[in-house]
Amino acid sequence: MKKKSLGKILALSLTMAMTAGMLAGCGNGDSGSQASDSGAATGGATSEETSSEESTAEESTAEESTSEEGGQEADNSGSGEVPTLIYWTVGGTPADDFDDAVAKISDYCEEKIGVRLDVKIAGWSDYDTKMDTIVKTGEYFDLMFVNNTNYSKFVNLGAFTDITDMVQSVTPDLYSFIPEQIWSGTQVKGKVYAVPTYKDSSLTQFYYIDDTYVQKYNIDMTSITSMQTLDPIVRAVKEAEGKSFYPVQLDQGSLWNGFFNNYDGLASGIQAIGVKLDDASRKVVCTLEQEDIVENLKLLHSWYTAGIINPDANVVTDSGKGHMFGNAQGWPSAAAGWAVNQGIDKYIVNKVFGPILTTETIQGSMNAIFVNSNYKEEALKVLQLMNTDTKFRDMCAYGVEGDHFEYTADGFVNRLRDDWTWPSYTQGTFFIMTNQVGTDPNQWDEVKKQNEEATPSTCLGFALDTTNIQNEVAAVNTAWDKYKFDLLTGASDPEEVLASCIQELKDAGLDTIIAEAQKQVDEFFK
């Protein structure tokens, strides 16, 4: 079969995605999201599709340098110059001197492995859309942060390099460091297309409250095990603190974290489908039709209307700091880090869910190499350095020593600034990072223990192959994107919009996706 340019394939895909999106927009839309990365209350589905015939990895050859439509290309091969790798990731708005800091990090990277980095950060709320456009237009880059909302999609577009063999031959230290079970969780059709960030690869959900309010209102954190048991507490605090105080603060980048935790999303990137974690029959369902999800949506909306949630939650991209309450995926002593990030002296934490292990939790944070990168081996070496070199790991996680942070006499990191917006969970392992002042020096042991004790989903190991349903996946996610900010901040009344939301999903092809997913699940586990 004649090979086609990735740029042409992706350009065609973009046209088809736009068409599918417009068709889906003729009905009533819905959207929603779930975070899958520790400590980050972010998440969301992306929209894309291409024809299955023209989007296979075999048709997008890794030997092509870049597409005709590609933008910037950093090709220093054969010139004797030190290559600069373009690395796209997600985060907050960078400080004005961010590029200067990256240049200093690059000095160390160049010293160790002979390459430099150009780190580009897309915002929390628009990362999915931004990367969708970059990939589909063939704009040049080398490395990209991905997670379970977009990984399989981009793999099926042929956008990522198959590193199954290369990671073992080029970066053996990286390969041996990450457990085999974690590598297995990144596979699509038996191939590895990304390096997982080996950290809390299982999922454990925590609620936490500012100790000031815990003491003030004599809150028993151990009694809070769900949204329902949290309800009387946030209502009481709201009544006592007054109209302008919001016990729960959300935004487009921090929707209600872990809303779909009870369901294995099959690494599909579609919040609207899943299998109940303990369902031995492995029945694929529309999550938005399940009683527990519907009841939680109603409760979230009641908080919004009661002023418990900030009224601009569905439209702002950053709700600021100093939050009284938070919920995140992590480990017990992670509360110290959450407090530092929020400018709070101390959070009191309680586990409300998990640990559980699914293919999605393993794929919650990864980094992939663009299929048209000129520096595939160099990119892998960057990721090996990130996962094996503590000095480099600390610089990427905290910034420049002496400017953004300093080491204390007893071996901790003391942060001097709070504007380092490249999130550490997107980069590499936690297990070689230096702990921050005030955190438990044994916290990584907690993470490893949770990984070891995690209960596996009945669908662990399965990842949905969307090759034959890419158009439907794109249309469904486009529809879902129209609703997720409103539903998962409580701004929309589910009794008014959920039915039309589900209908639009079905009009966009949700039932087709569920049928295909059920077929694949049954075949995989038969």
Side-chain angles (χ1 to χ4, degrees), residues 398-447:
Y398 303 124
V400 177
E401 183 182 359
D403 184 3
H404 297 87
F405 75 96
E406 62 185 5
Y407 290 107
T408 64
D410 53 352
F412 286 83
V413 160
N414 178 41
R415 304 190 81 160
L416 305 174
R417 296 167 54 175
D418 63 359
D419 59 356
W420 188 249
T421 56
W422 185 8
S424 62
Y425 82 85
T426 67
Q427 301 164 350
T429 185
F430 285 172
F431 303 137
I432 65 167
M433 282 174 56
T434 302
N435 287 297
Q436 295 185 61
V437 171
T439 60
D440 186 338
N442 299 314
Q443 65 175 323
W444 305 142
D445 292 334
E446 292 180 352
V447 176

Side-chain angles (χ1 to χ4, degrees), residues 40-43 124 249-257 317 319 488-489:
T42 61
W124 296 111
Q249 292 180 259
L250 304 174
D251 56 61
Q252 287 187 350
S254 300
L255 306 176
W256 186 265
N257 189 279
T317 58
S319 54
L488 296 184
T489 59

Side-chain angles (χ1 to χ4, degrees), residues 4 15 34 52 84 100 111 172 187 238 329 356 462 472:
K4 298 178 175 66
T15 301
Q34 170 193 12
S52 59
T84 298
D100 294 335
E111 174 189 334
Q187 292 183 3
K238 173 64 181 181
Q329 295 159 28
I356 57 100
F462 176 83
E472 289 83 359

Side-chain angles (χ1 to χ4, degrees), residues 55-60 62 141-146 150-167 182-196 363 366-371 380 383 467:
S55 65
T56 60
E58 289 76 17
E59 290 183 313
S60 51
F141 66 93
D142 298 284
L143 282 162
M144 170 186 170
F145 166 73
V146 292
N150 54 20
Y151 175 54
S152 61
K153 171 185 71 176
F154 288 146
V155 169
N156 287 325
L157 280 172
F160 294 154
T161 300
D162 175 359
I163 61 170
T164 309
D165 297 324
M166 186 165 57
V167 71
I182 307 302
W183 283 117
S184 297
T186 69
Q187 292 183 3
V188 177
K189 301 178 185 177
K191 300 291 185 180
V192 175
Y193 293 91
V195 174
Q363 294 183 5
M366 302 178 289
N367 285 281
I369 301 170
F370 187 38
V371 71
L380 262 183
L383 297 178
T467 300

